[in-house]
Amino acid sequence: MNNFSKGAVYAVISAIGYGIMPIFTVKAYEHGMTVYTLLFLRFALSSVIFFSFFLFRGINIKIGKQDMKNLFFLGGVLFTLLSIFHFESIKYISSSMAVLLLYCFPLLVCIISYFLYKEKLNMGSMISLVAAFISMIYLLGVSLDKMNIYGIVLSLLAALVFAIYMIVGKKVTINNSPVIISAYTTLFAGMGVFTFGLVKQEISLDFNANAWLYIACMVFLSTIIAEIAFFKSLELLSSSNVSMISMVEPVFTSVFALVFLNERLHFSQITGGFFLLISLTILIYFQNKTVTSQEIKEEMIQNEHILTK
């Protein structure tokens, strides 16, 4: 298994973890939790577990000043804003519309990566990406009846922040392990959400005790495991590739909603999910082919360099 295949597997594991998070969120809300309380507990408890593990295993958690600044920006600013923009947008537009607009971020990642790192998409990948986005419209069953400009702007801002989060996340994986990055990201995100929550006076522990079960599931599955897998995928792949593979997340969310929330899926949604998986499979094929050809070229250049010595 080459690095691309390994990275793709980690990206899918991350998508599964993030994909089930809306189920835990809905259940937690049913027990009286607020948005900011849920986000704060998610990040705070995750960071406590991370650093307790480091302390127990005697792992060195020191990082450079520049990396610390990048991680603060990653967690305290980007992750915080991403969470707030996305959760706030759902107050004004449907959750399906919010998810669809959020998943404009792979296109934004590709555009930003092209100008910053000259990462290019071949024609097959571009067609597959567009086909995947169209398939997602049918999967999510997006309705255009309730359009709210403020909610749309919030969702698009979330997509932009997510794209920047991907690119900065790729940068910090150069010098740090995915576990260390996840720990500091959740720590700074917890601080950011707590600050916003205090300002809005929306942090409260006055909720039903049954909500702790869903908080625990969100912490372990949708934060610790999902974050480590996410940054591991960024360590192996480009931010563009990870963002495109992450588009499989709504498929898992739909399946989990069907199983745990008894939500019905219409034929058009099932068809959309099916074609989304096909589009992503073709997309991964083209990207893997591109990466493999680049590796062959680099190896040939290295061999020529050795022979000329």
Side-chain angles (χ1 to χ4, degrees), residues 28-34 37-38 41 202-212 215:
Y29 287 165
E30 289 176 356
H31 293 288
M33 294 204 70
T34 65
T37 301
L38 181 59
L41 290 176
E202 291 188 21
I203 291 184
S204 171
L205 297 180
D206 185 21
F207 54 83
N208 192 299
N210 292 329
W212 284 106
I215 295 172

Side-chain angles (χ1 to χ4, degrees), residues 35-219:
V35 171
Y36 286 92
T37 301
L38 181 59
L39 289 174
F40 170 67
L41 290 176
R42 173 196 174 192
F43 295 134
L45 292 176
S46 297
S47 62
V48 168
I49 293 172
F50 272 125
F51 286 101
S52 297
F53 172 76
F54 297 150
L55 182 63
F56 178 75
R57 295 293 298 271
I59 297 174
N60 184 7
I61 59 174
K62 290 183 179 180
I63 57 177
K65 290 183 179 180
Q66 187 57 48
D67 282 335
M68 181 65 78
K69 292 178 181 178
N70 289 334
L71 286 171
F72 176 79
F73 181 59
L74 194 70
V77 179
L78 296 179
F79 209 178
T80 300
L81 290 177
L82 168 60
S83 302
I84 292 174
F85 285 153
H86 182 56
F87 279 90
E88 287 289 334
S89 69
I90 297 175
K91 293 180 180 179
Y92 303 96
I93 57 178
S94 65
S95 58
S96 58
M97 175 63 77
V99 170
L100 179 66
L101 293 174
L102 176 65
Y103 275 85
C104 289
F105 83 87
L107 178 60
L108 297 175
V109 170
C110 293
I111 293 172
I112 296 173
S113 296
Y114 173 77
F115 286 104
L116 288 181
Y117 308 114
K118 303 304 178 183
E119 292 181 9
K120 297 179 181 180
L121 282 180
N122 56 49
M123 185 58 66
S125 297
M126 291 178 64
I127 294 173
S128 300
L129 181 60
V130 173
F133 188 78
I134 294 173
S135 299
M136 195 180 295
I137 295 175
Y138 289 96
L139 169 66
L140 297 172
V142 176
S143 172
L144 302 179
D145 295 337
K146 297 180 179 180
M147 299 290 286
N148 182 289
I149 298 299
Y150 184 62
I152 291 173
V153 170
L154 286 175
S155 282
L156 291 176
L157 285 174
L160 177 59
V161 171
F162 203 172
I164 300 172
Y165 180 80
M166 279 269 185
I167 293 169
V168 175
K170 172 64 179 178
K171 185 177 180 179
V172 296
T173 59
I174 297 174
N175 300 321
N176 305 283
S177 73
V179 181
I180 294 291
I181 297 171
S182 300
Y184 279 104
T185 299
T186 54
L187 173 65
F188 291 134
M191 294 167 59
V193 170
F194 184 71
T195 302
F196 276 96
L198 284 181
V199 172
K200 299 197 69 173
Q201 298 182 339
E202 291 188 21
I203 291 184
S204 171
L205 297 180
D206 185 21
F207 54 83
N208 192 299
N210 292 329
W212 284 106
L213 171 62
Y214 303 107
I215 295 172
C217 291
M218 183 178 290
V219 166

Side-chain angles (χ1 to χ4, degrees), residues 7-21 42 103 162 165-166 221-234 242 245-246 248-249 252-253 256:
V9 170
Y10 281 116
V12 171
I13 292 173
S14 175
I16 294 173
Y18 291 139
I20 198 172
M21 185 166 61
R42 173 196 174 192
Y103 275 85
F162 203 172
Y165 180 80
M166 279 269 185
L221 298 178
S222 301
T223 307
I224 293 177
I225 293 177
E227 281 288 289
I228 293 174
F230 171 75
F231 286 112
K232 186 64 180 177
S233 67
L234 280 176
V242 174
I245 297 172
S246 297
V248 75
E249 182 182 323
F252 291 117
T253 300
F256 290 134

Side-chain angles (χ1 to χ4, degrees), residues 246-275:
S246 297
M247 291 180 73
V248 75
E249 182 182 323
V251 175
F252 291 117
T253 300
S254 298
V255 172
F256 290 134
L258 176 66
V259 175
F260 296 107
L261 299 180
N262 297 317
E263 291 187 2
R264 295 180 59 185
L265 289 178
H266 299 290
F267 179 75
S268 61
Q269 291 177 283
I270 297 173
T271 304
F274 177 72
F275 280 106

